Amino acid sequence: MHHSDTDLIYSKAHKQVKDFAFDAQVVEVFPDMIARSVPGYNTIIDTIGRLSQQFVQKNTNIYDLGCSLGAATLAMRKGVNADNCQIIGVDNSADMVKRCKMHVDAFKGKTPVTIVEGNIQDIDINNASMVVLNFTLQFIEKEQRQALLNKISQGMLPGGLLVLSEKIAKGDNKIDELLIDLHHKFKRDNGYSELEVAQKRSALEKVMLTDTIEVHTERLTNAGFNHISPWFQCFNFTSFVAIK
Ligand SMILES: Nc1ncnc2c1ncn2[C@@H]1O[C@H](C[S@+](CC[C@H]([NH3+])C(=O)[O-])CC(=O)[O-])[C@@H](O)[C@H]1O
Ligand SMILES: O=C(O)C(=O)Cc1ccccc1
């Protein structure tokens, strides 16, 4: 197992910082990278587990879209009490999927899990009582986000729950500067250097585009969710619940 490896990807100066990608190098250090980079990540994963106890209905499907190494999948497999359910985790990074399958196989649970390599925009969503988009929508082209949420909503049952976690923007320059600065200080406190923070920021610039809480709420409303609210925010990281 390599999941305690330290993220040193941006520790040396790069002549040119390439766009961020979920390749083998990132997969190797991903648990360390995400825990040191996303404030509240462990709280959000634990809460997804708790929500699965409450919202998953018997004889239904549960989706973890952009599952990476399966942290939310494993939290839900622990949490689900309902009978005859299955969890489907999807990721389009072959390196992630390979390692995710190892994580899933390393533990046992009564709810079966299938990890699929694919684009979440192409897969079929049906009979779903819970869907997780934990920091995944932010990597989808902005013009394609509404269509994806519509498809998810159409595959969900009444009373079903979507958890949507995203890095957000406030649309107020002063506040955005403050929240980004707090996030960078958080990363500095977790051992990243100024250089690492700066190079990661430029690697993400073109591939991870943020929306405001208002834009996310409007999209979820348009997609047909009936009850929508942020339930978590730390700096510029927010998680929403949306109930069908
Ligand atoms: N179109 C796509 N189709 C499928 N997968 C995609 C797509 N675009 C990006 N991904 C995948 O979405 C994941 C985003 S990480 C999610 C963390 C996880 N949810 C966690 O709870 O630990 C978030 C982050 O690193 O900030 C990566 O594994 C990508 O390969
Ligand atoms: O590292 C950052 O600055 C982030 O915004 C979060 C993140 C975490 C892991 C992969 C990509 C982005």
Side-chain angles (χ1 to χ4, degrees):
M1 279 294 177
H2 299 257
H3 53 251
S4 57
D5 290 3
T6 305
D7 168 22
L8 297 169
I9 293 172
Y10 298 103
S11 59
K12 295 221 177 75
H14 298 213
K15 281 208 189 79
Q16 213 177 359
V17 180
K18 277 189 268 157
D19 283 354
F20 187 84
F22 293 96
D23 54 18
Q25 188 194 20
V26 165
V27 170
E28 196 70 25
V29 300
F30 187 72
D32 177 68
M33 171 186 278
I34 199 149
R36 286 161 74 210
S37 303
V38 176
Y41 177 74
N42 290 321
T43 301
I44 294 170
I45 292 295
D46 289 349
T47 304
I48 287 170
R50 274 180 213 113
L51 287 165
S52 72
Q53 277 178 36
Q54 195 176 332
F55 280 89
V56 171
Q57 305 168 30
K58 66 176 183 218
N59 309 322
T60 64
N61 295 328
I62 302 155
Y63 292 87
D64 181 5
L65 304 178
C67 59
S68 296
L69 299 182
T73 287
L74 294 179
M76 293 192 285
R77 188 169 63 178
K78 257 202 218 160
V80 171
N81 287 321
D83 289 326
N84 192 31
C85 294
Q86 61 164 335
I87 303 174
I88 299 133
V90 184
D91 206 290
N92 66 354
S93 156
D95 296 304
M96 280 289 187
V97 165
K98 204 168 130 204
R99 188 63 69 82
C100 184
K101 285 181 174 167
M102 287 167 53
H103 278 217
V104 165
D105 291 342
F107 306 95
K108 276 202 164 68
K110 78 162 182 179
T111 304
V113 172
T114 308
I115 303 298
V116 179
E117 183 186 331
N119 186 335
I120 60 173
Q121 296 171 284
D122 299 334
I123 61 136
D124 181 45
I125 308 273
N126 63 73
N127 192 36
S129 63
M130 184 160 175
V131 179
V132 171
L133 276 169
N134 201 35
F135 301 107
T136 304
L137 192 68
Q138 60 198 17
F139 294 104
I140 303 290
E141 303 273 359
K142 282 197 181 188
E143 318 76 66
Q144 297 170 13
R145 292 180 186 179
Q146 184 68 59
L148 174 60
L149 292 172
N150 292 350
K151 174 181 81 170
I152 291 170
S153 173
Q154 281 156 21
M156 289 180 70
L157 298 161
L161 176 73
L162 171 69
V163 178
L164 171 66
S165 310
E166 289 276 292
K167 191 177 194 175
I168 54 137
K170 296 304 285 184
D172 171 326
N173 287 339
K174 191 91 188 159
I175 298 296
D176 279 332
E177 229 174 78
L178 173 72
L179 298 182
I180 289 167
D181 188 51
L182 284 167
H183 176 230
H184 288 174
K185 289 199 167 89
F186 167 89
K187 292 183 78 168
R188 296 281 286 116
D189 288 343
N190 285 331
Y192 286 116
S193 67
E194 283 299 346
L195 178 68
E196 286 178 291
V197 170
Q199 292 191 139
K200 176 83 177 280
R201 184 183 196 174
S202 88
L204 287 172
E205 214 153 51
K206 283 193 231 118
V207 292
M208 184 173 145
L209 299 170
T210 55
D211 288 312
T212 62
I213 287 184
E214 291 73 21
V215 165
H216 283 298
T217 303
E218 194 181 322
R219 273 206 206 98
L220 291 167
T221 305
N222 292 340
F225 290 95
N226 295 307
H227 310 275
I228 300 155
S229 178
W231 67 270
F232 174 91
Q233 185 172 351
C234 184
F235 315 141
N236 47 340
F237 292 80
T238 299
S239 186
F240 302 81
V241 285
I243 303 171
K244 243 319 225 0

